[in-house]
Amino acid sequence: MTTILPFQRRIVEALLDEDALCIVARGLGLRRVVAELCRICATPQALVFLLNANDTDEQALQQQLMTLRSGHADACTLRIIKNETNPAARAQVYRQGGLISVTSRILVVDLLNDIVPIELVTGLIVLDASRVTGESTEAFILRMVRGQNGQAFVKAVSESPESFTLGFAPLEKTLKALGLRHVQLWPRFHVTVQEDLACAQAPVAELRLPPTRAMVELQQAALDCVSATISELSSATKLLDAGAINVESSLFRYFDALVKRMLAPHWHRLSPRVRGMVADLAALRRVAELITAYDCVSLLKYLDTLLLATKTPTQAPPSWLASDSANILYSVARSRVFSRQAATDDSGNEDSAGQMRALGLPDSIVPALEVPPKLQQLAKLLEEVGVANCTATRQGGASKVGPVLVMAGSARECQMIRTFLAAANESVDLGHGGKHPKMMADLLCGFFRWKAQMNGGPAGRSRCNNNSANASTTTTPSVAAQPQSQPQAVRRGAPAAKRRRVRGASAAGAKLPRAPADALEQETATLASHIEVSAEDSQPLPRTGLDDPHSTEGINLDDIDDGWLDAPDELELDEFYGILPANETVIVRSYTAAGDSDFLAHLQPTHIILYDPDPAFIRQVEMYQALGHALHQVYFMVYDNSIEEQRYLSAIRRERESFEALIRQNASLVIPITTASPVNALLLARRSQRTAIHTQVGVPTIVVDVREFYSPLPSLLHAAGFTVVPRTIAVGDYILHDQLCVERKSLPDLIQSLKSGRLFNQAESMIAHYSYAVLLIEFEMNTSFSLQAIGSLSPEIAMNSINSQLTLLVLSFPRLRIIWSSSPYETASIFTELKRDAAEPDVDRAVAMGQDDCSVEKESIYASHPIALLQSLPGVTLRNYQALAKKFKSVSDICAASKDDLALVLGVEAAAKLYEFISNSSI
């Protein structure tokens, strides 16, 4: 049985003592705590549901519970219910009890259909509690279970303290949604945590590597582009919080979601230019992150991809691409890969050109191929570790030496590391008197092959030919040839995010003649077009493992340096195949695959190299050593005064400040006694009003399509006192009574349905089966209650306009009624009025509606344009246009049909009107 640390045991005991929301710092083994909690609570005699668990959580929890079973057959096991499990099988699993992980949508439907025995539910464990809101499905489930089973416990956990400090009173709102009154906080600076991890004193070697001059320029240029885009976005819209949206916050991945959250209430009213700037911020943040994560060739390819994606005839290019900082970004990125070689008569250059052509490369370039300093340092570290392991093996201590674990930030970085280490001793002569690592040469060849493929079509060739004259005259000086081109602030050693910025181009931009980014990309495309044919006949280098997601994770240390093991030419098969000794193995993993502390306990590494800094994994290493595992050395690699370092330090500070804010909030938190019901006063008043109205009628019932449980409306209807009956219905989304059908559309769904024509089919089906067909256009909460901005309204009819398409919909279906709702709460009030003095719906009839219709691929036949054309013809009505579409494949077939053929479909009178119209029009 795996052991847990004392502070983890205290977390479990605190959760067992009371129902609470437990917020734990990242890296402190929350999954291990949840596994121990499940082992204690979810016995075979109990029924415990696990909510908000993703696939990774379920797999990790299953493995940990199997380890904790320790031979007991009746111990806790995790059962997983997915969409493929039918209701009968789900009911059987619920009756058997135990720990069950089920999606929220499935569980809420089973609760409403009485498939789940609520009286037997022991409790619920909610993961990632920061996602739970008052309108979420999880809150719906908790309300139903607590309403019928007051003895069921609720334990909620989260390791995202930052999420509880964003917005207005997020902690209080989450507690109300969960029905909890207590908060338990476990930061890294908790006294108990500090005492338990104090024994983790592994020798740590911090390697602060200076970034290359080109990397410093790239980082500064990227930050300048981000700053300019933020300023432009803030000027275009006043909806952003200037205190939260800044250059420093843009270093984090949550930045994109933060910007969209602030703009979400007015997103549908924003201009395409503003939406494009939001996408540009996400792309620039990614570029800033990849400067230290990618190799130089992959970064250049990513930048070229961004540039090519902006070359569309329907939209203008981003404004940041026209800035001096963007020119610096692209020119420096290309100078790290290659530079343009002027044609000379030197015989040495002819030899180099021949070597380049043989490899499928343009003969007019000089490869630079800057190797990331971290990769070079990593190879040196592994060489030192290999020598130390060999020495320990000769001295008889091989059993005490484990594998070397290299941790990187992403799977892409892991592939880069494996490929580089597997061919660390191989180099390729690319001419011009220089040899380069094989991985870099492979990447360069692949880059030009990719450019050749991009320009392989006629349009690509024409673009290269039209711009070859201009591109051939553009040169980019090497950064290494300009020692004074580095900005003065960088030479002083100040980090990019800490020094004061100066408007305009940097000193490097003023001294180096930068070429526009578009011209550089066109020049590269022209170079690639010249090797397009010869590349097919040349002998390209073997592909690197960077594109192979299934390459091996284990690397033999003996393969990294030939001096460790000089193998003879002929070896036995046993020396080629077999299990590598632990002391000769390098394991490369990403932080996302690390999971929890059991990850280290399984691998048993004695040397750990952190290729990228990560606070959560550093804490895992501390817990690994605190549990008594031997650890010889930890190497911490970081680029000095870089975006990478700033992001790492800011993450630690932000987490600490979040916990401090939560501690202050918890000290003065006021939670009502009735936290078991998160329904606000407005819904309570509406429920009382509705109860009074329906006292003589009976229990109000609404039949809801099961696909609607992704939205908050069913939860709010249930909270308002309606009986929600989930069923799979073919016509409409909500059946209020036998004559009233409602199709609910959110704004994104409305736009998509109008474009695809699906809404026309749904309207036609509702009108055919119900006396009252209603289209409900529902806005989200805190969203501007307007479809379009006043300035964007056009008096002209356009098929790509939402207003024009809605007008066409109303003209096509005059009986269709449209209701506008400002929020799901308002929709619940509207349904109350629509249900006034109305009989309850027949559930079986609602399910049967539309089931016997002949589906003739409506999605492919009835698009918006054919509907508009057919229904505008004389003699064609809402009742007969479908038969006309079934009979004839196209409009031309209708025009070519005889009067008798049309009469067979439309009838004599309608056919005469249509035939006369077609005949007169053809004349």
Side-chain angles (χ1 to χ4, degrees):
M1 179 183 296
T2 59
T3 58
I4 64 176
L5 293 172
F7 81 87
Q8 294 176 324
R9 175 66 64 183
R10 286 194 57 182
I11 295 177
V12 175
E13 293 174 353
L15 284 173
L16 292 176
D17 291 340
E18 61 182 3
D19 291 352
L21 168 61
C22 181
I23 304 175
V24 184
R26 295 181 183 87
L28 295 185
L30 181 60
R31 285 180 181 170
R32 183 65 183 83
V33 171
V34 173
E36 186 69 16
L37 183 66
C38 293
R39 185 187 67 84
I40 297 174
C41 298
T43 61
Q45 294 76 27
L47 176 58
V48 178
F49 288 106
L50 186 67
L51 301 181
N52 276 349
N54 54 36
D55 294 339
T56 304
D57 295 330
E58 292 172 346
Q59 294 176 4
L61 190 57
Q62 276 184 327
Q63 295 177 357
Q64 291 180 349
L65 290 176
M66 291 178 62
T67 305
L68 294 174
R69 293 180 66 179
S70 63
H72 298 286
D74 58 345
C76 174
T77 58
L78 177 64
R79 300 181 182 181
I80 302 174
I81 293 180
K82 298 294 184 182
N83 294 327
E84 58 270 13
T85 308
N86 58 58
R90 295 201 300 267
Q92 183 178 2
V93 173
Y94 297 149
R95 291 291 177 180
Q96 292 175 354
L99 179 64
I100 301 174
S101 176
V102 57
T103 62
S104 299
R105 191 184 70 87
I106 293 178
L107 182 57
V108 72
V109 171
D110 290 346
L111 287 171
L112 292 172
N113 288 330
D114 295 330
I115 297 178
V116 178
I118 299 182
E119 68 279 359
L120 300 180
V121 176
T122 307
L124 301 97
I125 299 176
V126 184
L127 305 182
D128 198 6
S130 61
R131 293 169 47 192
V132 180
T133 62
E135 299 80 26
S136 63
T137 309
E138 292 78 15
F140 190 5
I141 294 172
L142 295 172
R143 185 171 61 249
M144 284 191 293
V145 174
R146 282 275 179 92
Q148 302 182 42
N149 184 356
Q151 302 300 319
F153 67 80
V154 176
K155 318 289 184 182
V157 296
S158 175
E159 55 180 359
S160 178
E162 300 86 356
S163 301
F164 296 96
T165 59
L166 299 175
F168 176 74
L171 180 60
E172 182 179 353
K173 292 179 180 178
T174 303
L175 289 175
K176 288 183 179 181
L178 293 170
L180 300 175
R181 305 186 66 248
H182 302 282
V183 181
Q184 300 173 2
L185 303 175
W186 292 88
R188 174 60 179 85
F189 55 82
H190 195 286
V191 176
T192 306
V193 179
Q194 288 182 337
E195 292 176 353
D196 292 342
L197 299 184
C199 59
Q201 299 296 333
V204 179
E206 184 176 352
L207 305 176
R208 302 178 65 85
L209 305 176
T212 64
R213 188 171 300 151
M215 293 174 64
V216 173
E217 272 198 277
L218 288 172
Q219 289 182 145
Q220 181 61 37
L223 291 179
D224 287 343
C225 291
V226 170
S227 178
T229 305
I230 291 177
S231 299
E232 186 180 4
L233 181 60
S234 300
S235 301
T237 176
K238 304 302 181 183
L239 304 174
L240 297 179
D241 182 5
I245 304 300
N246 48 53
V247 176
E248 183 179 357
S249 61
S250 67
L251 304 178
F252 299 95
R253 295 182 179 178
Y254 73 87
F255 178 77
D256 305 337
L258 180 62
V259 173
K260 291 182 179 179
R261 183 183 306 173
M262 292 182 179
L263 299 178
H266 304 271
W267 183 260
H268 61 284
R269 303 179 65 225
L270 298 178
S271 64
R273 172 173 166 268
V274 175
R275 297 185 185 184
M277 284 188 286
V278 175
D280 294 341
L281 277 179
L284 289 172
R285 185 199 62 79
R286 179 65 173 164
V287 169
E289 179 181 350
L290 297 182
I291 291 173
T292 56
Y294 274 15
D295 57 86
C296 60
V297 181
S298 299
L299 178 63
L300 179 60
K301 182 177 180 180
Y302 184 83
L303 291 174
D304 278 1
T305 304
L306 285 181
L307 188 59
L308 292 173
T310 62
K311 295 182 178 181
T312 59
T314 58
Q315 61 181 6
S319 58
W320 67 269
L321 277 176
S323 64
D324 293 338
S325 299
N327 296 336
I328 295 173
L329 185 67
Y330 275 86
S331 60
V332 174
R334 201 184 78 161
S335 67
R336 299 172 69 201
V337 180
F338 68 92
S339 60
R340 187 70 180 271
Q341 174 69 25
T344 63
D345 297 331
D346 189 13
S347 59
N349 288 338
E350 289 296 333
D351 296 338
S352 299
Q355 294 176 355
M356 300 288 285
R357 287 192 295 268
L359 295 174
L361 295 172
D363 55 6
S364 58
I365 67 170
V366 178
L369 297 180
E370 179 182 276
V371 181
K374 276 190 178 182
L375 283 180
Q376 297 175 333
Q377 184 63 37
L378 178 62
K380 295 178 181 178
L381 287 179
L382 293 178
E383 182 178 354
E384 295 176 2
V385 173
V387 172
N389 289 350
C390 290
T391 303
T393 302
R394 289 193 295 266
Q395 295 176 356
S399 59
K400 300 180 181 179
V401 179
V404 179
L405 177 62
V406 180
M407 298 298 299
S410 63
R412 177 61 175 75
E413 286 185 89
C414 292
Q415 285 298 112
M416 178 182 66
I417 293 171
R418 295 174 191 138
T419 306
F420 182 81
L421 295 180
N425 300 309
E426 301 181 40
S427 60
V428 178
D429 187 2
L430 296 180
H432 303 284
K435 290 187 177 182
H436 301 274
K438 181 178 181 297
M439 183 194 78
M440 304 302 296
D442 291 347
L443 289 172
L444 183 62
C445 293
F447 171 75
F448 277 101
R449 284 197 296 266
W450 171 73
K451 294 295 292 185
Q453 292 175 359
M454 294 294 294
N455 299 311
R461 293 180 183 272
S462 175
R463 183 173 67 92
C464 293
N465 294 332
N466 293 337
N467 297 282
S468 60
N470 296 331
S472 61
T473 60
T474 303
T475 59
T476 303
S478 173
V479 177
Q482 301 288 339
Q484 300 299 326
S485 64
Q486 189 175 357
Q488 183 178 0
V490 177
R491 292 200 301 271
R492 291 198 304 265
K498 298 179 183 177
R499 64 177 181 271
R500 186 174 180 178
R501 289 178 53 260
V502 180
R503 290 187 178 273
S506 62
K511 292 185 178 182
L512 291 182
R514 305 294 184 184
D518 188 62
L520 292 175
E521 188 277 329
Q522 290 173 359
E523 180 185 11
T524 307
T526 303
L527 293 172
S529 65
H530 294 323
I531 59 100
E532 188 173 5
V533 178
S534 60
E536 299 176 356
D537 301 328
S538 62
Q539 298 297 327
L541 297 174
R543 289 184 61 189
T544 64
L546 292 175
D547 299 326
D548 183 11
H550 304 292
S551 62
T552 179
E553 294 182 354
I555 300 174
N556 193 342
L557 281 172
D558 296 335
D559 294 337
I560 300 176
D561 193 282
D562 291 337
W564 294 349
L565 179 62
D566 295 327
D569 295 336
E570 295 182 1
L571 295 175
E572 299 296 332
L573 288 178
D574 292 342
E575 299 184 31
F576 276 114
Y577 301 97
I579 299 177
L580 292 175
N583 60 343
E584 299 180 3
T585 305
V586 177
I587 300 176
V588 184
R589 292 286 184 89
S590 64
Y591 291 121
T592 55
D596 220 325
S597 55
D598 290 345
F599 164 77
L600 294 175
H602 174 71
L603 296 178
Q604 298 275 328
T606 55
H607 295 80
I608 299 178
I609 301 176
L610 302 182
Y611 188 84
D612 296 314
D614 184 80
F617 188 77
I618 292 175
R619 294 163 185 168
Q620 293 186 32
V621 174
E622 292 178 329
M623 291 194 302
Y624 174 72
Q625 191 181 11
L627 290 171
H629 298 282
L631 194 57
H632 296 173
Q633 186 72 47
V634 176
Y635 298 94
F636 181 87
M637 303 176 66
V638 63
Y639 285 116
D640 192 20
N641 293 329
S642 64
I643 294 178
E644 178 186 63
E645 180 189 23
Q646 184 68 20
R647 183 168 57 245
Y648 168 71
L649 297 176
S650 298
I652 297 177
R653 186 186 71 253
R654 183 168 177 262
E655 183 189 76
R656 183 185 69 253
E657 293 175 351
S658 298
F659 269 113
E660 292 174 351
L662 289 174
I663 292 173
R664 291 191 297 268
Q665 292 181 30
N666 191 31
S668 59
L669 195 63
V670 178
I671 301 296
I673 299 295
T674 58
T675 53
S677 177
V679 185
N680 57 17
L682 177 63
L683 281 179
L684 286 174
R686 289 172 178 172
R687 181 169 62 181
S688 301
Q689 178 184 7
R690 186 221 40 78
T691 303
I693 294 174
H694 291 279
T695 301
Q696 304 299 328
V697 180
V699 180
T701 303
I702 296 179
V703 183
V704 182
D705 187 27
V706 292
R707 290 160 292 193
E708 278 295 300
F709 282 88
Y710 290 109
S711 68
L713 183 55
S715 174
L716 299 180
L717 291 175
H718 182 270
F722 290 97
T723 298
V724 178
V725 181
R727 291 291 188 272
T728 301
I729 54 181
V731 180
D733 294 328
Y734 298 85
I735 308 301
L736 275 63
H737 54 78
D738 291 342
Q739 303 300 322
L740 178 58
C741 170
V742 177
E743 178 72 25
R744 188 191 69 89
K745 293 294 181 184
S746 62
L747 286 185
D749 191 18
L750 174 67
I751 296 173
Q752 194 276 334
S753 299
L754 287 173
K755 290 182 178 179
S756 65
R758 181 163 53 94
L759 183 55
F760 288 84
N761 302 328
Q762 294 170 335
E764 190 271 338
S765 181
M766 288 191 298
I767 290 176
H769 294 90
Y770 289 91
S771 301
Y772 304 99
V774 175
L775 171 62
L776 172 67
I777 301 178
E778 183 183 83
F779 290 71
E780 297 181 1
M781 292 186 57
N782 302 321
T783 301
S784 176
F785 190 35
S786 59
L787 188 62
Q788 286 181 303
I790 297 178
S792 62
L793 295 177
S794 174
E796 302 295 333
I797 299 295
M799 293 309 300
N800 57 351
S801 171
I802 301 178
N803 291 331
S804 300
Q805 292 174 342
L806 283 176
T807 303
L808 179 61
L809 179 69
V810 173
L811 292 176
S812 302
F813 304 99
R815 288 175 48 200
L816 180 66
R817 298 294 180 260
I818 299 181
I819 295 179
W820 301 79
S821 175
S822 60
S823 69
Y825 287 96
E826 182 64 24
T827 302
S829 176
I830 293 173
F831 279 11
T832 300
E833 297 298 326
L834 293 177
K835 288 281 293 181
R836 185 188 299 270
D837 300 331
E840 302 305 326
D842 187 341
V843 178
D844 295 334
R845 181 178 182 275
V847 174
M849 282 294 181
Q851 298 292 341
D852 56 348
D853 290 351
C854 179
S855 60
V856 288
E857 294 81 30
K858 293 184 178 181
E859 296 294 333
S860 60
I861 292 180
Y862 303 124
S864 57
H865 291 186
I867 285 180
L869 179 59
L870 286 180
Q871 295 186 346
S872 63
L873 297 177
V876 180
T877 64
L878 294 177
R879 296 183 177 276
N880 60 21
Y881 84 92
Q882 183 177 350
L884 193 66
K886 294 178 184 178
K887 177 66 175 179
F888 302 99
K889 301 300 182 183
S890 63
V891 177
S892 60
D893 292 344
I894 297 178
C895 296
S898 64
K899 187 175 181 179
D900 295 336
D901 293 338
L902 294 175
L904 294 176
V905 179
L906 303 177
V908 177
E909 183 178 355
K913 294 180 180 179
L914 179 59
Y915 185 79
E916 182 181 359
F917 172 78
I918 294 175
S919 301
N920 295 335
S921 299
S922 61
I923 296 175

